Structures are given as C-alpha cells and as structure tokens.
Amino acid sequence: MNKTVLITGSSRGIGKETALYLAKNGFDIVLHCNKNVEKLTDVKKEIEETGQNARILQFDISDRKKCQNVLEKDIQENGAYYGVVLNAGINKDNPFPMLEDSEWDDVINTNLTGFYNVLKPVCMPMIQNRKGGRIVAMTSISGLTGNRGQVNYSASKAGIIGAVKALSRELAKRKITVNCVAPGIIESDMTKDIPDEIISTLIPLKRMGTPKEVASLINYLFAEDASYITGQVISVNGGMYL
C-alpha cells in the first residue's frame, strides 16, 4: 500500500518541488491550494506521469471549519495520511509602528493557527493508523533570528518552532516524527528583485537557494534513514549567520 502525503501550498515554489520530489520517491500526494487550482492540475499531471497517484484539495488554512470538513471527508474516503508537509503561508511585511491590525491577524491566523487547523483533523487518524509517520512544518530564518519589518511573520514562524518541539514529544511514542525546515532566501517571485550585492553580503555561499534544495531535505526527513530525527529545526540558508 502506497504512503500518502498531504502538502499544503503545493501549487508552486517549495511546495510544488516537494510534491514532485516525494512522488519520484514513491509517495502518493494530496495537493492543496487556496486559489491556484489550475496550477495544481498541472502539478497533478506531472505526479501521475511518475506513476504515483495524486488528488487535489482546496481550502483556506485559516478557516478552521473548512479545514476540518475537507480533511475529514478526504480521510474518510481515502484513509489516513502517512505524512504532512505544512508549507502554505503568507507574509504581510510592515515596520511594527505601521503594522495594521489586519496584517498581524492575517499572518498569525494563516501561518500559526493554520498549523493547528490542518494538523488537528489529521493527527488522530495518523496515530490510529499505527504505521508511524512524518510531519514537517516550514518555518523560516525569520523565526530563528527575527527580521526588520516582519514582527508578525517572525512571531508566526517562531510559534511554529515551539509547537513542533512540543508535538514531537507527544507523538514520538507513536513513531511519528515532527520537524521544522527553516529556509533562508530561496528563489521565488518574492525574492527575485533582491540585489546581488545584498545576497553576497548576507549569504556566505553568495547565492539564493533553490526550492529543489529545500525539497531535497524534506524528502530526506521522510526517508526511513531519518526515523531517529525529531523535534529539530534544520536550516537551509547558505550559511546565513544566526
């Protein structure tokens, strides 16, 4: 029986690369998005070309009731997930004195409360499945060091780290590992305009990372060889100083 992994925010970037990487290594994939269903259809096709199964779920991770309804229905119809990659998230940057209430609430409700909203419906079925499992949550270098203009984002990502460390202790006896991956500056639409001189100054390797390099680490954490790694925060940041 194939192992199935839910990956939130998998229409592009790290989420998409992770979906393709895990599929190539024998996992069936449950793709997720809030709005970009057309992009997910293309990703689904790519996964199926590897010989693995894929299906698509659409919901807003900040909407608790919607998360519960969609995920419980999917599990009821298809069985418990072996693993979850919590990749979906948002940022709304602003210096703290200028930060709007909605910018704080939206980021916390999506990034941090979304962690709860997605995992709560899927966690008990994973436990009851009695086959172990993997949970990987995406944090950020901002959650480790803080970053100017990102008090809301940094708070949400630091909160995920604390949640992962606690949850890893609860689930260890069930052979479910729980870890964080903390990317630095990764190639994306959001980072494409960062000047080369800033990259060279901030990053000892003097380049951005790629989504595939992050996906490679997530893939490793899903491997049997990583079954003794839990409660950890692993950075992929080209040597940026913490």
Side-chain angles (χ1 to χ4, degrees):
M1 185 177 187
N2 289 345
K3 295 177 178 178
T4 301
V5 180
L6 167 68
I7 305 173
T8 65
S10 42
S11 65
R12 60 180 180 173
I14 292 170
K16 174 183 175 180
E17 288 297 331
T18 300
L20 295 173
Y21 217 120
L22 289 175
K24 290 173 183 175
N25 283 277
F27 292 93
D28 290 336
I29 306 296
V30 180
L31 298 163
H32 159 268
C33 70
N34 184 16
K35 298 177 181 178
N36 297 320
V37 176
E38 289 185 4
K39 288 185 178 180
L40 271 193
T41 302
D42 294 336
V43 180
K44 180 177 182 290
K45 183 178 178 181
E46 287 186 65
I47 290 170
E48 290 171 341
E49 288 173 352
T50 72
Q52 298 303 125
N53 298 313
R55 59 184 183 270
I56 294 172
L57 301 180
Q58 183 180 10
F59 55 87
D60 181 350
I61 65 171
S62 69
D63 185 335
R64 182 169 300 159
K65 184 56 67 175
K66 186 70 170 179
C67 283
Q68 180 181 359
N69 291 342
V70 172
L71 291 170
E72 286 182 350
K73 182 175 185 291
D74 187 60
I75 291 169
Q76 184 177 12
E77 293 176 352
N78 299 287
Y81 308 133
Y82 173 75
V84 182
V85 179
L86 297 155
N87 174 69
I90 63 170
N91 66 296
K92 293 188 176 182
D93 299 348
N94 224 343
F96 188 74
M98 308 299 175
L99 198 66
E100 299 287 343
D101 289 350
S102 62
E103 292 173 329
W104 174 271
D105 292 340
D106 289 349
V107 170
I108 296 297
N109 289 340
T110 300
N111 296 355
L112 184 53
T113 306
F115 173 97
Y116 175 86
N117 293 345
V118 172
L119 281 187
K120 190 61 162 53
V122 308
C123 196
M124 186 56 74
M126 289 177 68
I127 292 170
Q128 293 171 337
N129 204 32
R130 299 181 183 275
K131 295 182 179 179
R134 300 285 190 269
I135 296 171
V136 176
M138 302 304 297
T139 181
S140 166
I141 191 169
S142 295
L144 291 166
T145 67
N147 193 27
R148 294 176 62 183
Q150 288 192 322
V151 173
N152 53 354
Y153 184 75
S154 297
S156 70
K157 293 299 186 178
I160 286 172
I161 292 172
V164 160
K165 287 182 174 294
L167 186 59
S168 70
R169 291 176 176 269
E170 292 187 14
L171 296 183
K173 64 183 177 181
R174 309 294 186 176
K175 296 183 173 57
I176 298 172
T177 66
V178 190
N179 292 287
C180 279
V181 171
I185 301 176
I186 305 299
E187 292 175 0
S188 69
D189 291 340
M190 290 192 302
T191 61
K192 64 183 180 181
D193 294 326
I194 298 177
D196 290 341
E197 57 268 24
I198 291 179
I199 297 297
S200 296
T201 300
L202 290 177
I203 306 174
L205 283 179
K206 300 188 182 304
R207 67 171 178 86
M208 297 184 199
T210 67
K212 189 173 182 179
E213 288 171 320
V214 181
S216 174
L217 172 59
I218 297 170
N219 178 72
Y220 172 69
L221 290 172
F222 271 79
E224 288 300 321
D225 288 347
S227 60
Y228 201 57
I229 300 173
T230 196
Q232 303 305 304
V233 183
I234 306 175
S235 296
V236 188
N237 62 24
M240 292 178 72
Y241 301 111
L242 302 180

